[in-house]
Amino acid sequence: MKGYIKKLVQLVEYERDEEIKKMIWEIKHLSGEQREKRGRAILNLRPKVIGEELGMYLVKFGRSRLIETEIGVGDEVIISKGDPIKSDLKGVVVEIGARYLIVSMDNLLPKDFKNVRIDLYVSDVTYKRQIENLKNLSERGKLVLEFLLGNKKLDDDKAEKIELFDCDLNESQLRAVSKSLSSTTFFLVHGPFGTGKTRTLVEYIVQEVKKGRKVLVTADSNMAVDNLVERLNEKVSHVRIGHPSRVSKKLQSSTLAFKIEHHEMYEKIKELKNKFEQLIAQRERFQKPIPKWRRGLSEEQILKLSENGKSARGIPKWVIDNMAKWIRLNRQIDELKSRIKIIEERIAKDIIENSNVVFSTNSSAFLEILNDFTFDVAVVDEATQATIPSVLIPLSKSTKFVLAGDHKQLPPTVVSERAKELSETLFEKLIKKYSFKSELLRIQYRMNEKLMEFPNKEFYDGKLVSAVGNITLSDLGFYGNNKITDANNVLIFIDTFKKKNRYESRKSDSTSYFNSLEAKIIKNVVKDFIKLGAKKEWIGVITPYDDQVDLLKSMELAVEINTVDGFQGKEKEIIIISFVRSNKKGEIGFLSDLRRLNVSLTRVKRKLICIGDSSTLKKHPVYKRFIEFVKVKGTYITFK
């Protein structure tokens, strides 16, 4: 086990170093304009302080030009006058508008910050927490690794009879909840697209609370955590741990910071803070003992000279007295700070102690405030998008755990080639080894049954069942007027193989690809739908390649356009997929990661339109089967 832990530490270090190296390389070698084009910087911003919230300054950065960026709410950013490498000013994005973003900061900006640049920042805090947790792994954490590395004989979990809070759960959801409750070690909830994984977890958590158990609920992303907080908000006593700026605004009252400010003991902190501010104002009237004035004297020496009414080393007596007063006030301020911190910690522990459920990201579960707490169970959502070092943080704090996810969809993003092993998750390893400790949620509530058929057979052995049947756009009052827009044609493949200009392209400074012909087809298809009355929010465009996303966004289609990774967890009435790859060698690159195909095909509810070159795609057997499936069950169109 020691060797495996050491290996995990090394993999995390590889990933951290690669992430930081990539960020620094980009900042040094790409202009601000190039970084902005890639969505990782925003230029020419004007700052304005708009208030304070939970002890942080809120600064609005705006400009007249539209902001298009990959930077999102909850991201950490560097604020600079143009050179991020030289700046140590950081903040967290709390809101983004068309021409502004609001950043929460610990400190105010210097007054000379007028024309500001903001860059996405890769913090190594998460990696440090993972490494420290691995190096000091608790007995509970080691037990998780024993399940993983050893051949432990575990009992099959029996479904126990329970009285449901959510009476509309289907049979497989009920079994997942029941078996999770009866397990004394761990359980895996396998939730494919649209099968109500979150709803199942909510019921399970409420059932555990009913039994008087304390539950830690985590996920790798703040968004997934907030989703669970929202669903459980009124059902259980809870607290949300983590930076308030990373929590959805409507859930602020769930945060630890908010609850501290509204605790009965907080009045004492208010008194101390008022005194604190008064002392700071007093201290401003006296000379701070900077090197220029103290000339090597220690604080104790300055205080002694003042008491004895003496001067020293050419420092006038009045300066000595002034510095002594500053030192005495500063010590009172430090003492007040300590007292405030002690009371805040006492309040925080009281809040956590009296909360049945504690929510946090996997990383935030490492925070010092949770050190003294152990949990009866840890529930990790999005477990198939989190690395083993990430999930080990919450699992190290509980006697049993439940992981939820779908290993047939995208794995965690791993940047470093040397750390690629991290992309195989704990969920995936455990479900291979202990399949009897899992339950597949079988009823899907998202997709038209015909759209579900191919991914169901290809990725889930045909075990899923549609609860929605033949839903189409006509249910929403949209009927269409041609082969592509016709509401009854729910599955379409537009084949470009006969067009001479079908081939992919690549920029000289990029490893990505784009396809101009496919982009033009998408532009026309989107325009047709909107012209005929389809709502823009119904439509999503998915493509595996960043440069194709950039090309499509430049066409200003006013619909959501993103990579496969960016669309995971989302759904739309109409999905248009651009496969991009078209070449004489039949190379499809990372399209061969079939989890990417599964995610792309399963974001849709009522109409799926795929665009690609069959002569390239059919070199891979699964894409070949998909195109043949469309020819038989859908609408196949040769673009001439």
Side-chain angles (χ1 to χ4, degrees), residues 35-36 38-43 45 67-78 91-97 100-103 117-121 553:
R35 282 265 296 169
E36 182 163 45
R38 293 188 179 199
R40 293 193 273 274
I42 308 168
L43 310 180
L45 294 163
I67 292 171
E68 288 189 38
T69 185
E70 294 297 314
I71 296 170
V73 171
D75 281 339
E76 195 166 347
V77 290
I78 302 177
V92 174
V93 178
V94 296
E95 188 180 325
I96 288 191
Y100 72 90
L101 70 164
I102 296 173
V103 178
R117 167 177 170 173
I118 282 181
D119 283 78
L120 185 62
Y121 178 68
K553 282 185 174 178

Side-chain angles (χ1 to χ4, degrees), residues 374-426:
T374 55
F375 296 84
D376 299 302
V377 60
V379 178
V380 183
D381 196 9
E382 284 190 343
T384 50
Q385 291 171 56
T387 65
I388 290 172
S390 174
V391 296
L392 275 175
I393 294 175
L395 302 195
S396 296
K397 295 180 177 294
S398 68
T399 49
K400 89 169 189 182
F401 62 92
V402 171
L403 305 182
D406 180 12
H407 56 297
K408 302 293 182 179
Q409 295 189 51
L410 290 176
T413 302
V414 178
V415 176
S416 169
E417 278 301 319
R418 293 190 295 176
K420 280 298 176 192
E421 201 178 320
L422 287 176
S423 62
E424 191 175 9
T425 63
L426 182 67

Side-chain angles (χ1 to χ4, degrees), residues 169-185:
L169 288 188
N170 63 50
E171 197 178 321
S172 61
Q173 290 171 328
L174 174 57
R175 273 198 309 274
V177 172
S178 183
K179 287 184 175 183
S180 296
L181 285 166
S182 67
S183 174
T184 56
T185 51

Side-chain angles (χ1 to χ4, degrees), residues 137 152 208 249 257 278 314 319 399 426 460 518 531 560 627:
L137 202 58
K152 280 191 165 286
E208 288 286 24
K249 275 198 166 181
Q278 287 167 18
V319 173
T399 49
L426 182 67
Y460 303 100
E518 291 185 18
K531 197 175 174 182
E560 187 170 357
I627 293 165

Side-chain angles (χ1 to χ4, degrees), residues 474-492:
S474 61
D475 307 327
L476 306 176
F478 182 94
Y479 300 96
N481 65 359
N482 58 35
K483 258 190 178 183
I484 294 173
T485 57
D486 188 337
N488 293 315
N489 294 341
V490 296
L491 176 60
I492 296 168

Side-chain angles (χ1 to χ4, degrees), residues 544-556:
Y545 290 97
D546 287 327
D547 284 355
Q548 185 75 341
V549 169
D550 291 343
L551 176 58
L552 287 162
K553 282 185 174 178
S554 72
M555 293 176 168
E556 297 180 354

Side-chain angles (χ1 to χ4, degrees), residues 207-221:
Q207 291 287 345
E208 288 286 24
V209 169
K210 181 185 170 186
K211 289 187 170 193
R213 290 171 184 156
K214 197 168 189 70
V215 187
L216 175 63
V217 180
T218 71
D220 219 36
S221 73

